[in-house]
Amino acid sequence: MAEKIIYAISDSLGETAEAVARATASQYDKEQIEIVRIPYIDSESQIDEIIADAKRGNHVICHTIVSESLRKYLHEKVAEYNIPAVDIMGPVLNAVGTVASTKPRMTAGMVHKLDQEYFKKVEAIEFAVKYDDGKNPSGFEKADVVIIGVSRTSKTPLSMFLAYKKIKAANLPLVPEVPLPEELFKIPAKKIVGLIIDPFKLNNIRSERLRAIGLEDEANYASIERIQSELEYAKAIMRRLHCQVLDVSNKSIEETASLVMQLIDKNRASEGK
């Protein structure tokens, strides 16, 4: 029995067309059906070559071509030569077009671009987890931003929020009794953001935290004297680093993240990225 071919063609990667072709071929387990994926179609001459091969061997074409001009040309050619062909995306685009309030972009590779954005987000989230709470200062160099501040200034939630915006954020708690990692002084000051907070607000936050874990809120961790001492230490470190400082006393995570993202955008613009 002669082998049949399904040409899975696209003006992008062609993964969708190939997946449909393979799913279809699997239904014909007694047939020899080869799947030939041809991605990045961008000219009529490429379509002409495929048409010639399909006509010669009595093969099938399925496609996810988005370009209107190339889709029109392909439709005309398969009709002219009576070649079995399936437009996978066309009917769906038309159906959605009857209910959508906007027109489709008609831009090839949008799924792939979305996939890339998704993986950037996952990578940033994994980064935030790996380099949270100063666990691994070696990540500071690879970070888009390094967030520093005393305990309970929302460094971790801020890092995670930024990660969902595809920004790689590491963070480091500033504790007077804990030596600072040398990596902190090897990165540009513009990559560092220091968080400060009103001592009485921090007192309330820490007291609530202690009660939540079943400890007395009179512990030294929540005392005003300890908090003021920590904040003075943190401010001295920030002055030494010459980094950007944000007061988060009355800011939500979203507001702080917005300011940090503006800073990162400014840094990237100055670097020509």
Side-chain angles (χ1 to χ4, degrees):
M1 186 179 294
E3 183 178 63
K4 292 301 175 185
I5 295 175
I6 301 177
Y7 290 100
I9 70 175
S10 174
D11 45 6
S12 184
L13 286 173
E15 292 174 328
T16 302
E18 182 182 18
V20 172
R22 292 198 179 282
T24 301
S26 69
Q27 300 296 318
Y28 295 88
D29 54 1
K30 294 183 180 179
E31 298 277 347
Q32 286 184 304
I33 301 177
E34 180 185 357
I35 311 299
V36 177
R37 180 171 69 165
I38 306 175
Y40 303 117
I41 298 293
D42 61 6
S43 68
E44 293 180 357
S45 61
Q46 288 174 291
I47 291 175
D48 288 338
E49 291 179 12
I50 296 165
I51 291 289
D53 287 341
K55 181 174 180 292
R56 212 167 19 242
N58 195 26
H59 301 311
V60 176
I61 294 173
C62 70
H63 74 90
T64 54
I65 291 178
V66 175
S67 165
E68 290 183 278
S69 60
L70 290 178
R71 282 174 65 207
K72 183 174 182 292
Y73 185 79
L74 177 59
H75 290 173
E76 290 173 352
K77 287 298 179 181
V78 296
E80 179 181 348
Y81 294 106
N82 198 30
I83 296 170
V86 179
D87 180 351
I88 296 170
M89 287 187 65
V92 182
L93 282 169
N94 293 336
V96 174
T98 64
V99 297
S101 58
T102 58
K103 291 185 177 181
R105 298 185 188 187
M106 305 309 288
T107 302
M110 291 307 299
V111 171
H112 183 57
K113 289 176 184 176
L114 289 173
D115 286 346
Q116 286 183 324
E117 293 304 300
Y118 171 77
F119 286 118
K120 283 181 183 177
K121 182 186 292 186
V122 171
E123 184 180 4
I125 292 171
E126 290 176 345
F127 187 94
V129 172
K130 184 175 182 179
Y131 299 109
D132 180 45
D133 208 31
K135 286 184 291 193
N136 191 346
S138 65
F140 290 177
E141 185 180 353
K142 295 176 281 187
D144 295 315
V145 63
V146 176
I147 301 162
I148 62 175
V150 301
S151 174
R152 311 311 295 178
T153 48
S154 298
K155 298 182 299 299
T156 295
L158 177 59
S159 295
M160 293 305 298
F161 187 95
L162 291 170
Y164 277 92
K165 299 294 184 180
K166 301 181 288 291
I167 292 171
K168 294 180 179 177
N171 70 78
L172 174 73
L174 299 179
V175 182
E177 294 80 10
V178 179
L180 294 168
E182 60 182 26
E183 288 88 349
L184 185 62
F185 299 94
K186 293 181 178 180
I187 58 175
K190 63 183 181 181
K191 279 181 61 171
I192 306 171
V193 174
L195 305 182
I196 59 171
I197 190 171
D198 176 80
F200 294 97
K201 187 173 184 67
L202 185 56
N203 169 257
N204 289 333
I205 294 171
R206 288 190 176 182
S207 295
E208 286 295 328
R209 174 59 179 166
L210 289 174
R211 284 194 287 271
I213 60 176
L215 298 177
E216 295 293 329
D217 58 5
E218 291 86 6
N220 187 46
Y221 174 72
S223 72
I224 283 292
E225 293 76 13
R226 170 67 186 186
I227 287 172
Q228 289 176 327
S229 173
E230 285 187 34
L231 287 171
E232 286 306 313
Y233 168 76
K235 290 176 183 177
I237 296 299
M238 293 170 195
R239 288 193 295 269
R240 181 179 167 191
L241 291 168
H242 302 289
C243 67
Q244 175 83 23
V245 178
L246 298 177
D247 188 335
V248 298
S249 301
N250 298 304
K251 289 185 177 67
S252 65
I253 296 295
E254 293 83 357
E255 289 174 314
T256 305
S258 178
L259 293 172
V260 173
M261 287 187 288
Q262 289 176 27
L263 178 65
I264 292 171
D265 287 342
K266 182 179 177 182
N267 291 341
R268 287 173 174 171
S270 67
E271 295 170 0
K273 293 184 178 179

